[in-house]
Amino acid sequence: MSERRTGSATGRPVRGLVALGDSTTLGMGDRLPGGGWRGFARLLADALGGPGRIRYANLATSGARVRDVHDVQLPAALRLRPDAAVLVVGMNDTLRSDFDPVLLRRRLDVVIGELTAAGAVVVTARYHDHGRVFRLPAPLRRALRKRIDQVNAVLDEVVARYGAQCVDLDALPGAYELGTWSVDRLHPSELGHRRLARAMAQRLLAAGCRVPEPVSLRCSGGARITPWHHLAWLVFRGVPWLVRRGSDLLPHGVAVMAREVVESRRERRARRGLRLVEPVRPEDVVVRPDAG
């Protein structure tokens, strides 16, 4: 059965594409058998014309935060004068103790604003619920969920301000399927990168760009991942990673739980107070005649 075609031979040509962000943009999770990463940005570049037809640069770095994109990657991207830019960043910020959504908004406003002002169509992504993919203890999951909601709110605001394009990863088909994720469950697998590249291509089409070739979801060339790989990573790498990251997130998670307990007790006291107030019955009302 043929795949649904998502390419278009009409529209504004994309002669230059830059990719900014963290390890997901870098391509981690989509390892090629010969070594190195491919990822959604490379797949998207191929759909836009491939080597020799478009200028493509991946400026992303593993572990990058919003400030790295703002301070280092953005100036390099602007020098390349791209027609389109893809950006996935913010997850690493949510995992740090100095998380600051106000500062994130300021920096992302500059990044997306300056790329747009330079004539690039910007496509970014808002995050899904990582706790549904990587199982976390309840306090950490609630703490992370709150921070992801804050990052998404920032992205929504900045995207709306500049008319940028955005892929909602929570609504991405197959977002919560095991096959979409690499062994670490933090980075997309080859299939996950292909799904993200296709969604990015659709957003470029919506912005009036030309995407000559569809992004195929048929996996080829990437390293094969089995359920055993997922289990082995979780035991030997996932738990140690959780311990390290927990040192940053756990204090925030405890604070979230403490607030929930206080608010719950306050609500229970308020409900008890309402029950203690007896309703006034009409027969209990005494009307005294006017003595004047």
Side-chain angles (χ1 to χ4, degrees):
M1 186 172 73
S2 61
E3 292 188 343
R4 178 169 55 91
R5 185 173 181 84
T6 58
S8 172
T10 62
R12 168 187 171 185
V14 177
R15 298 186 179 91
L17 172 71
V18 294
L20 305 92
D22 55 26
S23 53
T24 294
T25 309
L26 186 63
M28 288 187 69
D30 183 18
R31 182 182 292 279
L32 297 174
W37 307 109
R38 177 175 46 191
F40 77 86
R42 174 78 264 177
L43 293 166
L44 180 60
D46 290 342
L48 292 170
R53 295 189 177 182
I54 71 164
R55 293 173 287 105
Y56 167 69
N58 193 327
L59 306 174
T61 55
S62 179
R65 300 173 62 178
V66 171
R67 70 183 179 198
D68 299 305
V69 174
H70 175 277
D71 296 347
V72 180
Q73 298 178 26
L74 174 63
L78 292 173
R79 287 193 294 270
L80 296 173
R81 303 177 64 183
D83 299 306
V86 291
L87 168 69
V88 177
V89 71
M91 188 62 203
N92 289 319
D93 292 89
T94 67
L95 300 172
R96 300 299 183 181
S97 57
D98 61 351
F99 176 75
D100 184 348
V102 174
L103 193 54
L104 254 64
R105 187 195 64 76
R106 292 175 185 167
R107 287 170 170 161
L108 282 172
D109 188 276
V110 172
V111 171
I112 294 179
E114 291 196 8
L115 286 169
T116 302
V121 176
V122 180
V123 185
T124 187
R126 67 195 315 277
Y127 286 103
H128 57 292
D129 182 359
H130 281 71
R132 292 178 58 184
V133 178
F134 192 111
R135 297 300 179 185
L136 297 169
L140 295 184
R141 178 175 180 176
R142 287 197 291 270
L144 183 58
R145 179 70 260 179
K146 182 175 181 179
R147 289 186 173 184
I148 288 175
D149 288 344
Q150 290 174 306
V151 171
N152 284 342
V154 166
L155 285 166
D156 291 342
E157 179 184 346
V158 178
V159 163
R161 179 175 182 181
Y162 294 105
Q165 298 291 319
C166 188
V167 173
D168 186 353
L169 298 182
D170 185 66
L172 188 71
Y176 295 107
E177 294 176 5
L178 183 61
T180 297
W181 299 98
S182 183
V183 292
D184 59 13
R185 305 202 186 183
L186 297 172
H187 301 97
S189 62
E190 179 187 355
L191 176 59
H193 276 284
R194 287 183 176 278
R195 283 173 165 163
L196 182 52
R198 171 174 282 194
M200 293 276 187
Q202 290 170 342
R203 298 322 306 162
L204 286 176
L205 286 169
C209 294
R210 182 186 305 169
V211 183
E213 297 295 329
V215 177
S216 174
L217 297 185
R218 185 174 297 110
C219 293
S220 61
R224 183 173 177 268
I225 303 299
T226 68
W228 167 249
H229 288 105
H230 285 276
L231 178 61
W233 186 92
L234 185 62
V235 172
F236 297 109
R237 298 287 297 278
V239 172
W241 178 90
L242 183 59
V243 171
R244 291 194 302 271
R245 282 294 177 262
S247 63
D248 266 344
L249 261 183
L250 187 57
H252 181 64
V254 171
V256 168
M257 280 199 307
R259 284 195 297 270
E260 289 177 352
V261 170
V262 170
E263 291 172 3
S264 177
R265 288 179 176 175
R266 187 176 298 151
E267 290 174 1
R268 286 200 297 271
R269 285 198 299 267
R271 287 196 296 268
R272 285 199 299 269
L274 289 174
R275 287 196 296 269
L276 289 174
V277 177
E278 294 291 339
V280 178
R281 297 174 299 176
E283 57 269 26
D284 292 334
V285 178
V286 178
V287 180
R288 297 181 181 275
D290 189 354

